[in-house]
Amino acid sequence: MRAAPKHERRWASDSVPGNAKIMSSGLSSPGTESSAAEEFVEVTLDLQDDDRIILRSVEPATVINVDNAVSVGSETPKSASISRSPTFKRSSSSLLRQFSQELKAEAVAKARQFSQELKAELKRFSWSHGHSSGGGNGFDSALAARALRKRQAQLDRTRSGAHKALRGLRFISSKSNGVDAWNEIQSNFDKLAKDGFLYRSDFAQCIGMKDSKEFALELFDALSRRRRLKVEKISKEELFEFWSQITDQSFDSRLQIFFDMVDKNEDGRITEEEVKEIIMLSASANKLSRLKEQAEEYAALIMEELDPERLGYIELWQLETLLLQKDTYLNYSQALSYTSQALSQNIQGLRNKSPITRIRTKLLYYLQENWRRIWVLTLWIMILVGLFTWKFFQYKHKQAYNVMGYCLLTAKGAAETLKFNMAIILLPVCRNTITWIRSTRLGFFVPFDDNINFHKTIAAAIVVGVILHVGNHLACDFPRLVQSTDENYNYVKGYFGPDKPTYLDLVKGWEGVTGILMVILMAVAFTLATRWFRRSLIKLPKPFDRLTGFNAFWYSHHLFFIVYVLLVIHGIFLYLEHRWYRKTTWMYLAVPVLLYAGERTLRFFRSGFYSVRLLKVAIYPGNVLALQMSKPPQFRYKSGQYMFVQCPAVSPFEWHPFSITSAPGDDYLSVHIRQLGDWTQELKRVFAEACEPPVAGKSGLLRADETTKKCLPKLLIDGPYGAPAQDYRNYDVLLLVGLGIGATPFISILKDLLNNIVKMEEQADSIADGGKESDLSFGSTDSSSSARVSPKRKKILKTTNAYFYWVTREQGSFDWFKGVMNEVAEMDQRGVIEMHNYLTSVYEEGDARSALITMVQALNHAKNGMDIVSGTRVRTHFARPNWKKVFSRICSKHCSAKIGVFYCGAPILAKELSNLCYEFNQKGPTKFDFHKEHF
């Protein structure tokens, strides 16, 4: 029976390599005195990982007293009596069996003490002890201690199942198989090669690492050194040799390549300076500029961990040891611990369903998720159809129908829908009214979160109505009226006068002029409000580039004030209706216009009433401006809501919405504004001029506060206004997903949850104290005591857990909310809030370009509790989250819970999260409700 790899030890002398050869008498146990007349045998044993002893051979040998054998850390050995037996005599089987049992018992005892002896030797032969004497003994002791650690590392690798723990360290991440990948490399070689050779400068692009050119060049040099060459170009055959080594599936091979990249002088040792170089190289490949600045500190950390003897270098096996320990460090600093996945969650999803069942399930889910939208849209469409039909048949009985035909009926039916839509399109933007109504029971029946989408839907219906109304007038019934015979004209003579009008007469009248002006203004406003113009996706030459961007959308949208005035005039001067009570345009518009005008008036006076004083200003990396201001006494809001901000120094008319990042319990207001448009860029410039250089120890590139010598710009606010995230209290568990600056609405929620946790703990303590007193007066009917207890019960928070996932591509983004993340990590002792940062600019775990960063990150977090990427206590993950695993783990941990999924960010991720909510809602009793905000 043979175990691989074997670890053969010398008896009682672990510092000496080789086979374990033990000389003992066949008649006596080890360690006993033996006479020269006795014959001895030399026994070779294997000590296995599970403490088993395997007998390899028995030979005539020289006698060595076991008790006096030399070992590291043992006392000075006594003189050993030695004699050699000239011949080998076989002992009886019973004596040999007794000898083997005794030998095995003592060997097992020695093996169990090995790890303890190893630790003692490492402490004894530390660097300080070895060099304090100033002699060679200290250096030799350090080498002996490192040899012991190497022996233990080899054992640990076998015992830990290294083939599982050491997966990864890829140099190339490719989804294609080896043959297809090499074909692609050959194609790149043919494009880049010059005279049949690939030059060193093109190596990165050829193998698909053009984003990590410096790393690829070091890889090229390391592979060249293996061939004892320093070349600037290689042939296709040599490229294939390089490619074979890079894509080798063996971890040991990849580890050796990685080691060779660092070990440039090929002496088999890595110094601290070389570790610093590879850290800087990895930081550059992953766009971690701050990590490069601290490379020296983290290189010292690695050397402290891997070189406790202070020899000044590390070897290949020590780098391998760090990889082994990395998983231990990651588990130690893991933020989220999950229960095992419940099988019942997936039983329903694993059942085979017929096509009819699947369609029915999808239909029921769609109705369940969208019934609020469906009934509102259905009601709206029914009203439009009813108004169109009513006006259509009303004009069919008029005399003008005999002249203008169905063109007139269609135009008038469309006009009636236009009146209604031009009225209700104002309601979705009456934000104060919506904020108030959504907190009532009506908020359960009406999807107020879709107010802007409904606003856009109505706008689309207005476009259709304008085309039908204007098109039928200008292209159909006006020409028919002009070309009508005198006999037919008699039907409409009472409307247009005794003389038949010309086409120009019809167009230049009040009706025609106001209609055409409205069409022009609405066309401009609708065009500049589209995504292509509003987001500046269309690049126009100067000076037409001013037609794109948020400013163009903002100012053009205010043309609707003129449109509504023209609409009222247009509705008064009608060709075919002269009775005032039949001119219904003003009736449609009266209530919505007054409501909207009241809202704008309220905002005007409230913004002046809400005078705020800027407390702090900071400009962070990633072009984010943080504004902290005083909180007006009457300004009450909920976490997740937003407010409008105006800076007269930038524009006296523009108001822009931003999520409130302070908690309702804070005595200040704060917003974080990222530069995404011309207004925000100008706002940053204005505040940057008033800021001062950063003070040592404080974050932010530029800072300002009340003590700043320069005068800070004036700021006006208006709000608060409702948002989807404010309904987070309705759920048992929260999954908050922020993409970049989309984390802002959730920061307020996290702070509010944290404040509620503290309050609940204080209330629990007070209730516990009150419970002791109530026991003394059991049965009391004092109403005042019950009044004191009931409010506390109402304040119990329904939300039990919150999971916050922040995905960003810039390391500097973590500076925005560094204080909040540290505060949550320190104060949330019960683990209610779990925070996860994801940095997408870093290559995923297992990639050689991020391997050393992952090691340093895990090591520093385990030792110091701080993440080297974010600078907080929250550990940063690399690459993008696996959202399916995130949902699966949360679903397993919170079976049958009502989970609110709130997303804020670019639309690209919203669809994936929505689909996952649908998928997991089909698998079990756990319910996921998806809410989204786009910026």
Side-chain angles (χ1 to χ4, degrees):
M1 183 175 187
R2 181 177 296 271
K6 309 174 193 61
H7 302 284
E8 300 175 345
R9 298 182 187 169
R10 182 182 176 87
W11 183 260
S13 180
D14 292 308
S15 62
V16 182
N19 288 347
K21 297 184 178 181
I22 303 173
M23 282 66 71
S24 181
S25 171
L27 302 174
S28 62
S29 62
T32 60
E33 296 292 336
S34 303
S35 64
E38 293 176 322
E39 295 185 353
F40 298 89
V41 294
E42 185 177 48
V43 182
T44 303
L45 301 174
D46 277 354
L47 295 179
Q48 299 299 305
D49 296 336
D50 55 357
D51 293 331
R52 290 180 296 115
I53 306 297
I54 297 179
L55 182 64
R56 293 300 181 195
S57 63
V58 180
E59 299 173 353
T62 302
V63 176
I64 296 179
N65 194 326
V66 177
D67 290 338
N68 296 332
V70 179
S71 64
V72 176
S74 63
E75 297 179 358
T76 306
K78 301 176 182 179
S79 59
S81 59
I82 303 174
S83 68
R84 179 174 298 276
S85 175
T87 60
F88 173 72
K89 296 181 179 180
R90 293 184 177 272
S91 61
S92 64
S93 59
S94 60
L95 292 177
L96 183 60
R97 189 181 307 109
Q98 179 183 1
F99 162 75
S100 300
Q101 292 175 351
E102 293 174 349
L103 183 63
K104 180 177 179 180
E106 190 160 350
V108 170
K110 289 285 186 180
R112 289 174 178 174
Q113 295 175 1
F114 178 76
S115 59
Q116 298 178 355
E117 293 174 358
L118 177 64
K119 294 179 181 178
E121 293 302 327
L122 289 177
K123 292 180 179 179
R124 183 178 303 176
F125 297 106
S126 63
W127 172 264
S128 58
H129 175 76
H131 283 72
S132 62
S133 61
N137 290 335
F139 184 74
D140 293 339
S141 300
L143 288 176
R146 175 167 290 194
L148 285 173
R149 287 202 307 116
K150 182 176 182 180
R151 182 75 58 83
Q152 184 63 44
Q154 293 172 344
L155 292 174
D156 288 342
R157 173 172 178 176
T158 302
R159 290 171 180 172
S160 62
H163 60 285
K164 295 181 180 179
L166 299 179
R167 289 178 297 183
L169 204 61
R170 301 181 305 275
F171 289 94
I172 299 293
S173 299
S174 178
K175 295 182 180 179
S176 56
N177 57 44
V179 177
D180 295 337
W182 170 242
N183 291 336
E184 185 179 349
I185 299 299
Q186 287 189 99
S187 176
N188 294 338
F189 179 89
D190 295 336
K191 296 177 183 177
L192 299 172
K194 299 174 184 178
D195 300 328
F197 289 95
L198 177 72
Y199 282 81
R200 178 176 178 270
S201 58
D202 297 325
F203 181 71
Q205 185 176 354
C206 183
I207 65 172
M209 295 178 67
K210 59 182 179 180
D211 294 334
S212 311
K213 187 173 182 180
E214 295 180 8
F215 191 90
L217 293 179
E218 292 292 341
L219 179 60
F220 180 92
D221 293 340
L223 296 173
S224 299
R225 288 194 297 270
R226 282 186 159 196
R227 304 176 72 248
R228 298 295 186 267
L229 296 174
K230 186 176 182 181
V231 296
E232 289 295 323
K233 59 183 180 180
I234 56 176
S235 64
K236 182 179 289 188
E237 290 75 15
E238 292 170 325
L239 175 63
F240 179 76
E241 181 183 343
F242 282 12
W243 178 255
S244 300
Q245 295 179 53
I246 292 173
T247 56
D248 194 325
Q249 296 300 314
S250 167
F251 172 81
D252 291 327
S253 175
R254 295 178 179 181
L255 178 64
Q256 185 65 58
I257 295 176
F258 189 77
F259 186 87
D260 292 342
M261 290 177 63
V262 188
D263 182 24
K264 295 183 180 181
N265 58 4
E266 301 180 86
D267 61 351
R269 300 174 177 180
I270 299 178
T271 63
E272 184 172 338
E273 187 63 29
E274 289 174 323
V275 173
K276 176 184 174 182
E277 289 181 11
I278 196 65
I279 290 178
M280 295 183 66
L281 188 65
S282 300
S284 177
N286 291 279
K287 302 178 179 64
L288 299 176
S289 56
R290 292 188 179 180
L291 190 61
K292 294 174 68 175
E293 300 171 2
Q294 299 173 294
E296 186 173 351
E297 175 186 346
Y298 296 133
L301 180 66
I302 288 182
M303 296 301 293
E304 178 185 350
E305 175 70 13
L306 299 184
D307 183 28
E309 304 85 13
R310 305 277 183 95
L311 294 176
Y313 64 88
I314 59 177
E315 298 172 294
L316 179 66
W317 67 270
Q318 291 164 291
L319 188 64
E320 181 183 272
T321 300
L322 183 60
L323 280 172
L324 277 169
Q325 292 176 337
K326 180 204 68 173
D327 294 327
T328 304
Y329 294 140
L330 289 179
N331 293 333
Y332 175 78
S333 60
Q334 184 77 20
L336 190 59
S337 58
Y338 299 105
T339 58
S340 59
Q341 186 168 357
L343 294 176
S344 60
Q345 290 286 312
N346 294 320
I347 290 177
Q348 185 176 353
L350 294 174
R351 293 173 180 170
N352 294 326
K353 297 180 180 180
S354 64
I356 297 177
T357 304
R358 287 197 296 267
I359 294 174
R360 183 182 63 186
T361 302
K362 290 183 178 180
L363 180 60
L364 290 176
Y365 178 80
Y366 180 82
L367 294 175
Q368 182 181 5
E369 292 294 311
N370 299 280
W371 66 269
R372 297 176 183 85
R373 301 183 183 96
I374 291 173
W375 86 262
V376 170
L377 288 175
T378 302
L379 178 62
W380 173 64
I381 293 172
M382 289 176 61
I383 292 174
L384 294 183
V385 172
L387 290 174
F388 185 93
T389 304
W390 169 61
K391 190 59 66 172
F392 185 93
F393 286 103
Q394 183 184 29
Y395 269 82
K396 191 172 183 179
H397 297 91
K398 288 183 176 290
Q399 297 292 336
Y401 168 70
N402 298 317
V403 180
M404 302 180 183
Y406 284 101
C407 297
L408 174 65
L409 308 186
T410 305
K412 288 301 180 180
E416 203 68 18
T417 63
L418 280 173
K419 297 175 189 178
F420 178 72
N421 284 330
M422 288 296 291
I424 66 171
I425 198 172
L426 297 175
L427 298 180
V429 291
C430 291
R431 293 182 172 86
N432 287 291
T433 304
I434 291 177
T435 302
W436 171 69
I437 295 179
R438 70 182 297 150
S439 60
T440 65
R441 291 190 176 182
L442 192 59
F444 177 76
F445 299 98
V446 180
F448 289 112
D449 294 340
D450 294 326
N451 60 321
I452 299 301
N453 290 331
F454 190 46
H455 179 80
K456 294 177 181 179
T457 304
I458 298 172
I462 289 176
V463 172
V464 175
V466 167
I467 293 173
L468 291 176
H469 179 72
V470 177
N472 278 282
H473 272 324
L474 297 180
C476 188
D477 54 16
F478 280 6
R480 293 187 65 170
L481 175 63
V482 173
Q483 297 172 5
S484 63
T485 63
D486 294 338
E487 182 180 356
N488 286 339
Y489 182 71
N490 290 330
Y491 289 111
V492 294
K493 186 180 292 186
Y495 302 115
F496 297 97
D499 298 327
K500 184 169 62 174
T502 63
Y503 191 88
L504 183 61
D505 292 333
L506 294 173
V507 172
K508 71 179 182 180
W510 281 104
E511 302 86 341
V513 171
T514 55
I516 292 174
L517 287 176
M518 281 192 294
V519 170
I520 294 173
L521 295 177
M522 292 169 70
V524 171
F526 285 159
T527 302
L528 298 183
T530 58
R531 181 173 177 268
W532 299 280
F533 283 87
R534 191 178 73 254
R535 298 277 186 177
S536 299
L537 300 179
I538 295 179
K539 303 299 181 182
L540 300 177
K542 293 184 178 181
F544 300 104
D545 58 339
R546 293 183 174 272
L547 295 177
T548 62
F550 188 85
N551 276 351
F553 155 74
W554 177 262
Y555 288 115
S556 65
H557 238 58
H558 285 79
L559 294 174
F560 275 94
F561 287 112
I562 304 175
V563 171
Y564 277 98
V565 174
L566 295 174
L567 182 59
V568 173
I569 297 173
H570 185 80
I572 293 175
F573 295 93
L574 295 178
Y575 288 120
L576 303 178
E577 191 61 70
H578 299 300
R579 290 168 291 184
W580 70 269
Y581 58 88
R582 291 291 184 92
K583 300 175 180 180
T584 57
T585 302
W586 65 274
M587 299 179 186
Y588 280 100
L589 300 179
V591 175
V593 168
L594 287 176
L595 180 61
Y596 184 77
E599 289 243 349
R600 297 304 294 260
T601 304
L602 174 63
R603 291 181 59 179
F604 175 78
F605 287 104
R606 187 170 59 183
S607 61
F609 183 71
Y610 282 165
S611 59
V612 295
R613 185 180 73 261
L614 282 170
L615 304 177
K616 290 182 182 178
V617 177
I619 301 178
Y620 291 105
N623 291 323
V624 170
L625 173 66
L627 301 176
Q628 188 177 115
M629 63 204 78
S630 60
K631 182 179 179 181
Q634 297 81 11
F635 194 93
R636 299 177 181 176
Y637 64 97
K638 299 178 181 179
S639 293
Q641 292 185 333
Y642 66 95
M643 66 181 182
F644 279 86
V645 176
Q646 185 202 69
C647 182
V650 178
S651 172
F653 306 108
E654 293 186 51
W655 291 84
H656 293 262
F658 299 101
S659 297
I660 305 172
T661 53
S662 55
D666 295 336
D667 57 356
Y668 62 88
L669 290 174
S670 65
V671 292
H672 287 68
I673 303 171
R674 187 172 189 180
Q675 281 65 63
L676 296 174
D678 43 10
W679 185 87
T680 53
Q681 290 174 357
E682 184 65 15
L683 184 72
K684 176 195 171 185
R685 187 192 65 80
V686 169
F687 277 97
E689 293 177 353
C691 290
E692 297 177 352
V695 181
K698 292 187 177 181
S699 60
L701 298 177
L702 298 172
R703 299 180 66 87
D705 52 32
E706 293 179 291
T707 62
T708 303
K709 297 179 181 179
K710 296 181 181 179
C711 182
L712 294 174
K714 183 181 179 182
L715 210 63
L716 301 176
I717 66 170
D718 176 52
Y721 294 103
Q726 76 176 62
D727 298 326
Y728 73 94
R729 288 175 174 265
N730 299 333
Y731 297 95
D732 305 318
V733 180
L734 301 179
L735 175 57
L736 311 174
V737 181
L739 204 61
I741 197 63
T744 49
F746 307 132
I747 295 300
S748 178
I749 293 177
L750 294 176
K751 294 174 71 175
D752 191 35
L753 283 174
L754 190 62
N755 293 338
N756 282 319
I757 290 170
V758 175
K759 289 180 180 178
M760 289 173 61
E761 291 177 350
E762 293 176 352
Q763 290 173 6
D765 294 339
S766 62
I767 292 175
D769 295 339
K772 295 177 181 179
E773 298 177 0
S774 63
D775 291 341
L776 300 177
S777 58
F778 181 78
S780 174
T781 58
D782 186 1
S783 60
S784 61
S785 62
S786 60
R788 287 194 301 268
V789 175
S790 58
K792 293 176 182 177
R793 291 178 179 173
K794 292 180 180 179
K795 292 181 181 179
I796 294 177
L797 190 65
K798 181 179 180 181
T799 305
T800 59
N801 289 88
Y803 302 88
F804 175 54
Y805 284 80
W806 186 10
V807 184
T808 182
R809 57 170 175 249
E810 297 173 352
Q811 182 187 7
S813 302
F814 298 121
D815 286 348
W816 305 346
F817 308 112
K818 183 181 293 186
V820 176
M821 289 189 285
N822 283 330
E823 186 180 4
V824 171
E826 291 173 5
M827 297 184 63
D828 184 21
Q829 301 298 326
R830 293 178 9 186
V832 174
I833 302 173
E834 294 179 355
M835 305 180 68
H836 301 266
N837 298 332
Y838 280 82
L839 187 61
T840 58
S841 66
V842 179
Y843 291 95
E844 63 183 348
E845 186 176 339
D847 195 293
R849 287 164 285 189
S850 63
L852 196 62
I853 295 177
T854 305
M855 293 183 232
V856 174
Q857 182 204 38
L859 180 62
N860 190 72
H861 197 280
K863 285 182 172 293
N864 305 321
M866 296 297 292
D867 182 70
I868 64 172
V869 178
S870 65
T872 68
R873 299 184 61 176
V874 180
R875 190 168 65 85
T876 302
H877 307 269
F878 299 146
R880 291 176 175 82
N882 186 328
W883 293 113
K884 191 165 187 177
K885 288 185 178 179
V886 171
F887 274 74
S888 178
R889 291 168 178 171
I890 295 177
C891 185
S892 301
K893 190 173 183 180
H894 304 283
C895 183
S896 303
K898 186 178 181 182
I899 302 175
V901 182
F902 294 88
Y903 170 71
C904 183
I908 186 172
L909 184 56
K911 185 175 182 181
E912 180 182 355
L913 295 178
S914 178
N915 292 338
L916 285 172
C917 288
Y918 167 75
E919 178 182 342
F920 280 87
N921 282 341
Q922 307 305 310
K923 291 184 177 181
T926 306
K927 174 67 175 176
F928 289 88
D929 284 345
F930 181 65
H931 306 269
K932 64 181 178 180
E933 289 184 64
H934 295 159
F935 53 79

